Amino acid sequence: MNEVSLKPVIAELEDLFSKFNARFFADKLEKPVITVSPDHTRGAYGWCTGWKAWKAGEDEGHYEINLCAEYLNRPFEETCGTLLHEMVHLQNLQDGVQDTSRSGLYHNKKFRETAEAHGLTVEKGEKYGWHKTTLNPEALEFVQSLGKSGSSLVRPRITGLKGSSKKNTSRKYVCPCCGAIIRATKEVHVICADCDCEFQEEI
């Protein structure tokens, strides 16, 4: 039986972060904790926490960049584009630049400016602002020069639970910092007052 593990996927993402940091950010980005977990936001390819979500002993903590498990098997260039997108958020966090609003959903012109200066082409969407990013020609050429392919490992999205006959209209939201739970009958965007973190929907 072939062993299935996220370990090589995480190692690859960490290596890509280092390469992109050197090429597009002059090695000035703090190294985050890179994770892979399910998408609780209904469509995001990844995210960068706005707070230092991880700590090791008494250190000051580390930001988290996550790539969502349901999209790991996208083309390699697209996965790299997502990672670079989140690295732009990290750059702005370090510089004290607020590049989003509406609980991190709407990407403003400051995000666009930083993204365009660090390897991305940016387009404006109707709902979330300047959030549509792709690798610019220079970044695409660099990514293709690495000679790598995308991951075959993926966590398919579950559309319905077997044996479930009654539709549950309640949505469960969990604070990723303290674990507090709230429920709602529609999609909401709520900040935990204790942690200053956005509640994430549990699917």
Side-chain angles (χ1 to χ4, degrees):
M1 179 181 291
N2 293 331
E3 181 181 355
V4 177
S5 172
L6 271 174
K7 186 176 180 179
V9 176
I10 298 296
E12 176 68 25
L13 292 173
E14 290 177 341
D15 182 59
L16 287 171
F17 177 91
S18 295
K19 286 182 169 64
F20 292 169
N21 194 13
R23 180 63 181 258
F24 301 107
F25 297 89
D27 267 332
K28 292 182 178 179
L29 292 184
E30 300 175 17
K31 187 175 181 181
V33 174
I34 296 181
T35 62
V36 171
S37 66
D39 169 28
H40 296 304
T41 64
R42 293 181 177 268
Y45 292 137
W47 63 73
C48 177
T49 59
W51 67 98
K52 293 189 174 182
W54 292 81
K55 291 186 180 296
E58 299 299 321
D59 71 10
E60 295 182 357
H62 307 272
Y63 293 106
E64 171 188 286
I65 286 182
N66 180 80
L67 270 71
C68 293
E70 293 88 345
Y71 313 108
L72 281 181
N73 63 345
R74 289 188 301 151
F76 181 65
E77 293 82 1
E78 293 182 19
T79 299
C80 289
T82 296
L83 178 58
L84 198 56
H85 178 119
E86 302 311 330
M87 291 173 72
V88 168
H89 285 305
L90 181 56
Q91 174 74 72
N92 283 332
L93 282 167
Q94 289 184 198
D95 292 343
V97 174
Q98 184 174 344
D99 62 7
T100 63
S101 57
R102 302 178 194 171
S103 300
L105 294 176
Y106 189 88
H107 292 56
N108 61 32
K109 290 182 179 179
K110 292 180 180 178
F111 172 81
R112 183 195 67 187
E113 291 170 0
T114 307
E116 289 180 342
H118 294 87
L120 293 173
T121 298
V122 188
E123 293 182 24
K124 189 175 184 180
E126 293 183 5
K127 190 174 182 182
Y128 300 124
W130 299 96
H131 72 109
K132 294 183 177 181
T133 56
T134 54
L135 298 173
N136 68 18
E138 177 194 352
L140 180 60
E141 182 179 1
F142 177 71
V143 165
Q144 291 175 340
S145 74
L146 299 176
K148 299 185 179 184
S149 58
S151 171
S152 61
L153 190 63
V154 70
R155 186 180 192 272
R157 184 182 293 277
I158 298 175
T159 55
L161 296 178
K162 187 175 180 180
S164 177
S165 58
K166 183 178 179 181
K167 184 177 180 182
N168 184 5
T169 58
S170 176
R171 300 183 181 194
K172 179 180 178 181
Y173 292 83
V174 181
C175 173
C177 293
C178 68
I181 296 172
I182 62 172
R183 296 184 184 275
T185 57
K186 64 177 183 177
E187 183 176 353
V188 297
H189 301 287
V190 181
I191 299 293
C192 176
D194 292 328
C195 308
D196 196 29
C197 300
E198 182 179 5
F199 280 83
Q200 302 293 325
E201 183 176 0
E202 185 174 277
I203 299 175

